[in-house]
């Protein structure tokens, strides 16, 4: 039997059975298939690469091609119980907007990020003066897809600014069991190579502005909000 990736195993623990799940950047659908098989979720996937979409469809999953940076805006508010973004936030052009959208379209978000404050990263910069290559950041600087790296401290500050609550957090490292942590503790900003967060909103999200009726990425019709009647023009005498 193939071993389950440690981050996937932790996500499997967090998601409740039968939940509505959107996996953004689902790649070949491995995690979505696991959640469907083990937890009976109503799962949907969003993947930018045609190869990933084809692989997900071949697994019998509901996967569509789309860009997480732009296409999350088309999903209705609270359409899902969980929105999952695994090791992808740092590759987004607008991570702040994406993180906010995750908690608009879902009650909770599962987000994992590599920690640029990890001691191996700091040591590589200090000792060699070069961009680090670690288990969580394996690509050289000139070919990495990561464009918005952050530390645990950066991420928790952004959560505070967006009024997001950190319901749970675990530190992940290659080949080692996940470790529950308090991400606000300074020591964890040194120790955690990758962190997995379960997030929710502290307050109710603001209502989205009125839009014309349109289909979302899964072909579901979104009903437009009623607009106030236009003021009648006075008749000229």
């Amino acid at each position: 039997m193939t071993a389950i990736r440690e981050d996937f195993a932790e996500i499997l623990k967090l998601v409740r059975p039968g939940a509505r799940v959107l996996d953004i950047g689902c790649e070949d659908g491995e995690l979505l298939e696991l959640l469907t098989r083990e937890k009976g979720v109503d799962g949907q996937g969003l993947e930018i690469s045609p190869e990933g979409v084809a692989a997900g469809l071949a697994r019998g999953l509901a996967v569509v091609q789309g860009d997480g940076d732009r296409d999350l805006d088309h999903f209705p508010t609270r359409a899902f119980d969980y929105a999952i973004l695994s090791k992808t936030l740092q590759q987004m052009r607008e991570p702040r907007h994406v993180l906010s959208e995750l908690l608009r379209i879902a009650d909770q978000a599962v987000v994992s990020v590599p920690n640029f404050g990890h001691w191996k990263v700091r040591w590589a910069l200090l000792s060699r003066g070069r961009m680090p290559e670690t288990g969580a950041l394996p690509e050289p600087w000139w070919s990495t897809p990561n464009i918005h790296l952050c530390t645990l401290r950066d991420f928790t500050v952004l959560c505070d600014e967006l009024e997001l609550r950190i319901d749970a957090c675990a530190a992940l490292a290659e080949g080692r069991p996940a470790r529950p942590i308090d991400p606000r503790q300074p020591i964890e900003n040194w120790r955690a190579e990758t962190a997995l967060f379960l997030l929710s909103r502290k307050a109710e999200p603001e209502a989205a502005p009125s839009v014309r009726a349109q289909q979302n990425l899964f072909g579901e019709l979104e009903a437009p909000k009623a607009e106030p009647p236009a003021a009648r023009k006075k008749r000229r005498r």
Side-chain angles (χ1 to χ4, degrees):
M1 182 177 177
T2 306
I4 300 174
R5 268 175 45 180
E6 188 58 46
D7 55 334
F8 287 1
E10 287 304 301
I11 294 172
L12 191 62
K13 294 176 185 176
L14 293 173
V15 174
R16 67 175 181 270
R20 299 165 300 164
V21 174
L22 176 65
D23 187 4
I24 300 108
C26 65
E27 297 182 329
D28 63 359
E30 181 182 355
L31 173 60
L32 201 55
E33 184 180 52
L34 178 66
L35 290 169
T36 302
R37 184 178 68 245
E38 300 294 330
K39 288 296 186 73
V41 304
D42 178 8
Q44 298 177 340
L46 184 69
E47 170 58 35
I48 196 169
S49 72
E51 297 80 9
V53 174
L57 293 174
R59 293 175 185 262
L61 303 170
V63 178
V64 296
Q65 187 170 10
D67 184 346
D69 261 311
R70 298 175 303 184
D71 295 328
L72 294 181
D73 295 355
H74 299 293
F75 286 93
T77 298
R78 291 188 168 177
F80 300 93
D81 298 306
Y82 300 93
I84 298 174
L85 192 67
S86 179
K87 298 182 180 179
T88 306
L89 185 66
Q90 73 279 359
Q91 299 175 15
M92 296 295 182
R93 293 185 295 275
E94 300 289 342
R96 180 187 177 99
H97 174 71
V98 170
L99 191 58
S100 181
E101 281 296 284
L102 295 181
L103 270 302
R104 180 188 64 80
I105 65 177
D107 294 332
Q108 290 184 293
V110 180
V111 180
S112 61
V113 292
N115 176 26
F116 206 70
H118 187 248
W119 71 266
K120 289 182 181 179
V121 174
R122 302 185 194 221
W123 177 247
L125 290 170
L126 179 65
S127 62
R128 297 189 292 119
R130 299 190 60 184
M131 287 297 289
E133 295 177 34
T134 67
L137 301 167
E139 298 290 335
W141 69 268
W142 45 266
S143 67
T144 178
N146 300 324
I147 57 177
H148 284 115
L149 290 165
C150 68
T151 68
L152 257 63
R153 177 62 179 154
D154 290 323
F155 188 84
T156 56
V157 167
L158 180 57
C159 287
D160 289 340
E161 291 176 358
L162 295 174
E163 296 189 338
L164 305 182
R165 181 172 55 241
I166 299 173
D167 296 323
C169 183
L172 303 171
E174 193 71 29
R176 281 177 283 175
R179 178 172 55 86
I181 64 169
D182 177 357
R184 300 185 188 279
Q185 291 294 325
I187 188 63
E188 298 300 348
N189 204 21
W190 286 78
R191 296 174 61 191
E193 190 169 8
T194 298
L196 178 71
F197 293 85
L198 177 65
L199 306 171
S200 60
R201 278 206 177 271
K202 293 179 182 177
E204 292 293 320
E206 293 182 4
S210 299
V211 293
R212 292 181 182 176
Q214 58 180 339
Q215 286 186 333
N216 64 25
L217 294 176
F218 292 97
E220 297 162 341
L221 189 64
E222 298 179 30
K225 290 193 172 184
E227 297 182 0
R232 295 181 180 176
K233 294 182 179 180
K234 293 183 178 179
R235 294 181 181 177
R236 294 181 180 177
R237 295 182 180 269

